[in-house]
Amino acid sequence: MIGALLVLAACTPSEGPKSIPLPTSPDTTTTSTTTTTTTTTTTTTTSTAPPRLQATIVRTADGVPHISGRDLSDVAFGQGYVSADDHGCTLIDQVLRVTGQRSRAQGPGPDGENIESDFAWQAIGLADRAAADFANASDRVVEQFEAFSDGWNQGLADAGDDGFEGWCGDADWVRPVSAVEAYTYARSVSLLASGERLADFIPTAQPPIDPEAEAAEADPATEANTDVEVLEGDDPAAPEATDARRASAAGAGFAGLRPEGLGSNAWAIGTDQVAGDGGGILLGNPHFPWEGPLRFAEVHLTTDDGVDIYGAQLIGLPGVALGFTDTFAWSHTVSAGNRFTAYTLALDPESPTSYLVDGESRPMEATGYSVEILRPDGSIDTETRTLYATEYGPVIDFPGIGWSESTVLTYRDANIDNDEMIEFYADIVDAVDLDEFIAAHELHQGVPLFNTVAVSDDGRAWYADTSATPNLSPEAEEQYNLKLLGGDLLTTIARDNGVVLLDGSDSGNRWQISLGARDDGLVPFSLQPQTLRTDHVFNANDSYWVSNATQPLEGEYSVLHGRSDIPQSMRTRQNATVLDPADPLGLAGDDGLWTGDEVLTAAFDNTSHSALLLRPQVVAACRANPLVEVAELIDESDGSVALPAETVDLTAACDVLEAWDGRYDLDRSGPVLWRETMGRFSGAELRTTGPLLGDEFDPADPVGSPSQLADDIAPVLTALARAVQTLTKIGFELDATLGAAQFTERAGERIAVHGGTNADGVTNVIQWGGGNSSSAPQPERGDAEVPGGTIRPEGFQTNFGTSFVFMVDYSGDEPVAQALLTYGQTDDIESATFLSQTLRFAEKDWRPLLLDRDAIVNDDEAIERIVSLS
């Protein structure tokens, strides 16, 4: 039987022991390595008993580890060892972060950011929850995390006095980790779209105090955040203006809550659209950061008792997050649904630390927290704060709202208690086929924030959004929708940025308990969006609705799962176009049936959907109007003239765009000019009727509409003129190729990379992203010289997008798979494998995956190592 191992874990931090001895005693541990696979060096120990843990690690091309052992504990031990070897700095750095210990180990950080982070994670309380849950976890999970941490610690011991390869080296804070600490970090991943996004607003949440008392007892660490602070210049006689400013400030905060550092495409193509013997094809293409902890590590795990799973996992975690067995394959995409609800609280006039629910006053819970801080001279001091929580969760100091005498915000997190996630991914080990894989979803309901797209060897394709979703009553949903229809400003701004904002003073907005849900207050599996088909399903981070464009998924689903009958992103529309049997691009060949090789070509086809729809229309418009007058463009940051008032001749730009085929490939002229033009329209304007698009969205045609330029072509011609001005000012030719402009920097080397942005509507996303929580030095890019422009003087620098992209084809006698890990398998910039896969990606050079023992050991680059612990 082939199963899956523990997938992407989302968990909570725990404190862990103060120190853990390194496993270096010669009578308990040995490791050995070989440089070829023709000779296997076995381990020796002073104990007559067989090793408690033992794993064989064979590295093949690009450093991919194939880890085998007697059972799951053995391979988890080997995976921990590999994790330390490839990315040793990341796990301990993240453990310190999510357990609120960074300041003690690494100092206060720039502008005290480690101190703020430590207070936030202590208030979130994940560490305590994770420790309690780990004590009651299944034997399988406990053994797996114990073995993984043992392997990681052995890797640390073998690194010796010089420490890990990578950015942390021999830093004083690098130490062994315990099983519960590794489990805690795994649990923290589930909060990527909830608690982690709100963490910045927790540590400064302080009730308003009397100005005289503040002057007498001021403490910079607990300074009040009043309306005067948040909205300087408010006129009490003009409440409407104050509300508008508050909403504007809050809008910036809500915009920051989108999980922009995460995305993905996934295609599951069923037997109806596949050439061959009836099996399906899966393409997984997670769009994740190329730096920091949210990178994937590729791995192949096999055991003597039947486990055989290939895929990838976030570095520092055991198991497989997305991958395949010999009977089914799956990938994840980040769900468009909601993992938390925010609440406005009406405060008790008698006390700003009490709030009203149905008119009844309830006291907040006040808790004192202490953070130890390492100072430059080596001394340790302590800072304390009192932070507050409600029945929903932590109180937050949100932009534009703050904490006044009448109002404050709080939130409730659907994943704070999600220990089922780790149990779910561990249980997949026993899934023999797609049906058992689906059954594991129903049993545990542990998927934290992802859609699942899966395919089977018998040709079925499954889509589901089973991620943790708050369960509102029908009445609460109706009231929420009425507020949106009524134009409530804060509610609408929050909605537009993916946040559901409710009135916490009304008990009707509490989450409802439904039979069958994994935890009280969540939507049960039976009420979550899902479909099983034999043509295809996909997702590209829009809601469940268009998982198949020919038959959108309709149902009475919670509004918190996302919305239906709404315009889709350019990227979703391009994914749907590629998978349409009548695809105008013809990527499935003349027969319209997919082969694995055709899917590989389609994955990096790089056609821009905005160009597919609008390029001919833009060319026609600029041919008819080649001279465009533009006004002076002022840079509001310093008052300088960014672009002059002038008449811009668009003739050369029209020539470039007319000759372009709409693809974001390295040798194409056109992508640079097109992106700089379309970049002057907002995300909403690229979806809906407005200054760019003129026809109305038709819910009956979610892929085909809207598709026409607005009747007033002045906005798009002005945008094209600004693009011409901007490229000229920066020094790029109008016909500059994408390869001349778009690049990633690896080990000091500039590597040109193909692909486009989400706004470009390219399925192969390559762009710049933020949200890196690592303590490592962060990559930087230059500032934009022109307001509204997308290009920098150096070009389009990228550090985010297509990551572990893989294709699994079940249409033949046995699975065939190919993959790329775009940023490579190691942090060691001196390693030959550091750049190898980035170069492969740039050349669209897919790597066939080695799945059987003979192919693995006979690989020209195979290196074998056996690690053990007695």
Side-chain angles (χ1 to χ4, degrees), residues 68-92:
S68 58
R70 297 160 297 188
D71 53 27
L72 289 174
S73 292
D74 277 354
V75 295
F77 174 73
Q79 195 175 9
Y81 192 93
V82 166
S83 178
D85 197 27
D86 289 340
H87 304 287
C89 302
T90 295
L91 177 58
I92 183 60

Side-chain angles (χ1 to χ4, degrees), residues 182-509:
Y183 175 87
T184 292
Y185 172 52
R187 283 280 300 274
S188 73
V189 175
S190 69
L191 304 186
L192 288 172
S194 52
E196 178 152 325
R197 294 285 160 180
L198 293 154
D200 287 347
F201 309 122
I202 294 173
T204 59
Q206 296 294 304
I209 57 177
D210 180 79
E212 293 183 4
E214 181 180 14
E217 304 179 23
D219 179 349
T222 59
E223 187 174 344
N225 292 281
T226 66
D227 278 338
V228 174
E229 283 187 311
V230 175
L231 298 172
E232 189 174 335
D234 281 351
D235 179 1
E240 292 183 1
T242 298
D243 288 345
R245 285 195 298 274
R246 176 177 287 111
S248 176
F254 284 125
L257 297 183
R258 284 185 175 276
E260 296 292 354
L262 305 172
S264 299
N265 305 321
W267 307 343
I269 307 173
T271 185
D272 294 350
Q273 290 185 243
V274 173
D277 295 334
I281 300 176
L282 181 101
L283 179 79
N285 184 4
H287 302 148
F288 268 55
W290 287 21
E291 308 282 348
L294 296 181
R295 287 171 293 163
F296 288 101
E298 189 172 349
V299 70
H300 182 199
L301 305 173
T302 59
T303 67
D304 293 345
D305 55 6
V307 170
D308 190 343
I309 177 71
Y310 200 116
Q313 176 60 292
L314 293 181
I315 59 178
L317 299 180
V320 174
L322 34 90
F324 64 96
T325 73
D326 64 354
T327 60
F328 67 94
W330 80 98
S331 193
H332 287 308
T333 66
V334 175
S335 167
N338 298 87
R339 313 284 77 86
F340 70 94
T341 53
Y343 289 93
T344 56
L345 295 179
L347 300 179
D348 187 335
E350 300 298 320
S351 170
T353 58
S354 296
Y355 59 100
L356 303 175
V357 179
D358 297 339
E360 179 181 328
S361 181
R362 298 171 177 269
M364 296 178 185
E365 179 181 355
T367 304
Y369 298 98
S370 297
V371 169
E372 292 185 326
I373 307 164
L374 174 66
R375 297 302 180 182
D377 63 1
S379 64
I380 302 291
D381 61 31
T382 302
E383 183 176 322
T384 62
R385 294 187 196 178
T386 298
L387 299 174
Y388 297 82
T390 70
E391 64 181 87
Y392 304 106
V395 174
I396 55 178
D397 174 22
F398 205 73
I401 297 171
W403 192 336
S404 71
E405 293 183 356
S406 59
T407 305
V408 76
L409 256 61
T410 185
Y411 74 96
R412 185 175 177 185
D413 195 324
N415 277 311
I416 191 68
D417 292 313
N418 188 2
D419 58 304
E420 290 86 356
M421 181 192 69
I422 295 181
E423 298 288 347
F424 161 69
Y425 286 117
D427 197 38
I428 299 175
V429 171
D430 297 323
V432 298
D433 54 25
L434 180 63
D435 295 311
E436 290 196 6
F437 177 72
I438 295 172
H441 282 74
E442 182 174 13
L443 175 63
H444 296 288
Q445 300 178 50
V447 176
L449 61 147
F450 307 118
N451 302 287
T452 301
V453 175
V455 75
S456 67
D457 62 343
D458 62 7
R460 291 174 295 155
W462 185 59
Y463 163 82
D465 182 358
T466 62
S467 50
T469 303
N471 188 28
L472 297 181
S473 69
E475 294 77 15
E477 287 200 12
E478 181 181 8
Q479 289 300 314
Y480 174 68
N481 287 326
L482 286 174
K483 290 186 77 171
L484 293 174
L485 289 172
D488 183 82
L489 198 54
L490 268 181
T491 305
T492 301
I493 289 175
R495 188 277 312 275
D496 290 345
N497 289 282
V499 177
V500 171
L501 180 63
L502 303 172
D503 180 2
S505 65
D506 182 349
S507 64
N509 288 320

